[in-house]
Amino acid sequence: MKTVRNIGIIAHIDAGKTTVSERFLFYSGKEHRMGEVHEGTARMDWQEEEQERGITITSAATTFDWKKTTLNLIDTPGHVDFTAEVQRSLRVLDGAVGVFCGVAGVQAQSETVWRQANEYDVPRIIFVNKLDRVGADFFRVVDDIHEGLGANVLPVVIPVGSEGGLRGIVDLVEMKEFHFSEEDEGRTVTEHEISAETQELAELWRGELLDKVADRSDEVMELVLEDQEVPVDVLRAAIRAGTLDRSWIPVLCGSAFRNKGVQPLMDAVVHYLPAPEERGVVVGVNPHNQKPLERKLDAKEPLVALVFKLQVDSHGELAYVRIYSGELKKGGSYLNPRTGKKERIATIFKMHANQRNAVEKAVAGDIVAVNGLRFSATGDTICEQKSAIVLESLEFPDTVISMAIEPKSSADRDRLLEQLARLVREDPTLNLSTNPDTGQVILAGMGELHLEVVRNRLIRDFKVDAKIGTPRVSYRQTFAGPAREKSRVERQLGGKDQLGEIDIEVIPDDNEKGAAVEWLEDGGLHPDWKRAAEDTITSCLEAGGELGFPFVQVQVKVRVPEQDPEATEIGVSLAVREAFDTIEARAGSVLLEPVMRFQITTPEDYFGAIHQDLLRRRSNVDNVELVQDIRRLSGTVPLAEVFGYTTNLRSLSQGRAAMTLEPVGYAPAPEKVAERFRF
Ligand code: GDP
Ligand code: MG
């Protein structure tokens, strides 16, 4: 296991993630041709939609060897609308390479993914890319990463030459200069003595490196104090230790596009990022008693694996699985502790983008794709029947935007629903529902680009013949105040007496994400009837009273002091409905709108105009920074105010500003907005 690295590449869109990945494949010998994003030939962006747009949407996985180490690489998308893809990748990776643009430095999306990587405690190294571009400045970007992201940066290389004159790098650990041949696409790397013009700078940064490392390593400290040479392997081991415990982040640089500095980056992945077993233990809970459990990351332990992604294509369903402990065998039978069902592994594949190689087994540390799973969803654990454990699942934010989908004919409806269900299974940030009044099918997602890509997939890949509405903000509502109602129903229905009694209280609570239903007294109500009552409560909350949006942020307390011996299941459900009608009328409702966290980076020149514009949009700007001549603003803003905002931002900044939007929750909308929905 020591010779495996599970890594991801994270960055702002366009920083060069895919270009870097393509170089990794090429230099490792996995690909014999170099794929280019702008030619639509990048191996990792294999979906049609990705090649046309030149962006990465689904994370692709691939495996290759470098210096006797197997690298499992996951290329992640840069756009926040696909944030779930980034998140689930980070969850199963052991280390990451952060790619930054040598001109733009820290951009909006890099902050978001950086924060996510912090949350998952992922050790990282950094590659400052695009140093061949006009205006690129390695040292400025290093400062920017330090200030903008609060990262303790540790440059382990510096560039030789700059912009068009970028020639190579100096490795500060070996104190050697490296050049990359122009003739063979950078394949030939030559070692040189450090050139005279770079010598002084190299010594300065070597000094900085030793100072920092010595602070953490006694061995290096002693050598430095005794004025002795620090051997390369000692220094590397010390840098590695500090990277793994997240004391610092080694920084490398170059130009992926011009084929400079990539092999040293690959070496750094091997030198500084963790092998799977170095991440410590994997933690979960015992599904029988909810007690915490730990497992060693060892192939000899019982199997523990996490399903982190499902993908449906013409061959059927493929599940991406990270194996933490033990061995997963082809034909093996395992337990999904959430569903309690047994799963049989039909085939196991090592993936290379959309190509697959069947293997007999996979062991702790591996990331593979399997088929044969029938009852498992994204975030589920697969384990040995005899030693069950549930790993922490993945949690995704609520959807904030939706579009209506109407089949052209009712005959198409079933097929449409089936295909939408497939999409939703693949993508846990999509949500499918039916409007109870109109029967319309509603698909909800994370943002405009997200739904646009889904729409194209429906039309192009799934050949769905349907009318797809324009995306709209997904509103919610809550009660304006608490209300309680006791209702008793006695009615003749279908020749039978239906009788039921229930006491329901609603209390708005903005700490509650959805609706929490609690039984304070059940008067010995039959369990089936309790369930029927709960289902009716859920459907009343979803139907959404006057404004027509689902109720959230609410506590529901239910009381049945004593069950009437004559009560019936239908009677109890009817009583629930009656109680809700009264409660909704009495409590009144408040419209809740989705609120987004925004991050904008813009050249200083456009800051004034953008800031003004944001203030007109009911935004809260809570942080403004100036790093060099780049302004960074962040805060919150109602989604309704920034619908289609990227176009606007482009025209305000001549295309130079960038923005990310992420849902943070729901907040009361002003009456002016709510008015539109009241009858
Ligand atoms: P991603 O969105 O992070 O995957 O970025 P891509 O790899 O798709 O790169 C975005 C664009 O920048 C493409 O047109 C690349 O050809 C270009 N690019 C990537 N790396 C470099 C580089 O080192 N120098 C220059 N000049 N362009 C680059
Ligand atoms: Mg890409």
Side-chain angles (χ1 to χ4, degrees), residues 8-11 17 56 58-60 74-78 85-86 89-90 93:
I9 300 194
I10 56 175
K17 290 182 304 297
T56 311
T58 53
S59 11
I74 299 211
D75 181 27
T76 58
E85 289 281 338
V86 184
S89 305
L90 287 170
L93 292 172

Side-chain angles (χ1 to χ4, degrees), residues 406-419 464-466:
E406 271 176 82
K408 291 256 166 74
S409 70
S410 56
D412 287 338
R413 192 181 161 86
D414 284 350
R415 210 177 79 89
L416 173 72
L417 283 174
E418 206 175 286
Q419 296 188 315
V464 161
D465 195 14

Side-chain angles (χ1 to χ4, degrees), residues 12-19 21 37 42 44-45 50 54-57 75-78:
H12 184 83
I13 191 158
D14 259 7
K17 290 182 304 297
T18 304
T19 308
S21 314
V37 179
M44 303 293 280
D45 288 350
E50 298 181 307
I55 61 167
T56 311
I57 296 166
D75 181 27
T76 58

Side-chain angles (χ1 to χ4, degrees), residues 42-94:
R43 162 67 64 185
M44 303 293 280
D45 288 350
W46 54 273
Q47 286 191 357
E48 225 178 305
E49 186 72 24
E50 298 181 307
Q51 299 195 338
E52 262 170 38
R53 287 170 191 267
I55 61 167
T56 311
I57 296 166
T58 53
S59 11
T62 191
T63 300
F64 57 88
D65 290 332
W66 182 252
K67 306 262 167 96
K68 302 208 176 84
T69 304
T70 300
L71 273 66
N72 294 315
L73 174 76
I74 299 211
D75 181 27
T76 58
H79 197 285
V80 238
D81 280 15
F82 309 107
T83 187
E85 289 281 338
V86 184
Q87 217 177 314
R88 59 184 169 197
S89 305
L90 287 170
R91 170 74 164 76
V92 296
L93 292 172
D94 302 316

Side-chain angles (χ1 to χ4, degrees), residues 25 43-44 46 58-63 72-75 308-309 311 320 350-355 367-369:
L25 294 176
R43 162 67 64 185
M44 303 293 280
W46 54 273
T58 53
S59 11
T62 191
T63 300
N72 294 315
L73 174 76
I74 299 211
D75 181 27
F308 67 98
K309 181 185 169 90
Q311 187 179 299
Y320 284 79
K350 288 249 150 102
M351 297 300 290
H352 177 37
N354 57 341
Q355 294 171 4
I367 292 179
V368 292

Side-chain angles (χ1 to χ4, degrees), residues 13-19 37-38 129-130 132-133 255-257:
I13 191 158
D14 259 7
K17 290 182 304 297
T18 304
T19 308
V37 179
H38 61 266
N129 189 29
K130 300 199 184 184
D132 60 306
R133 282 184 53 196
S255 162
F257 186 59

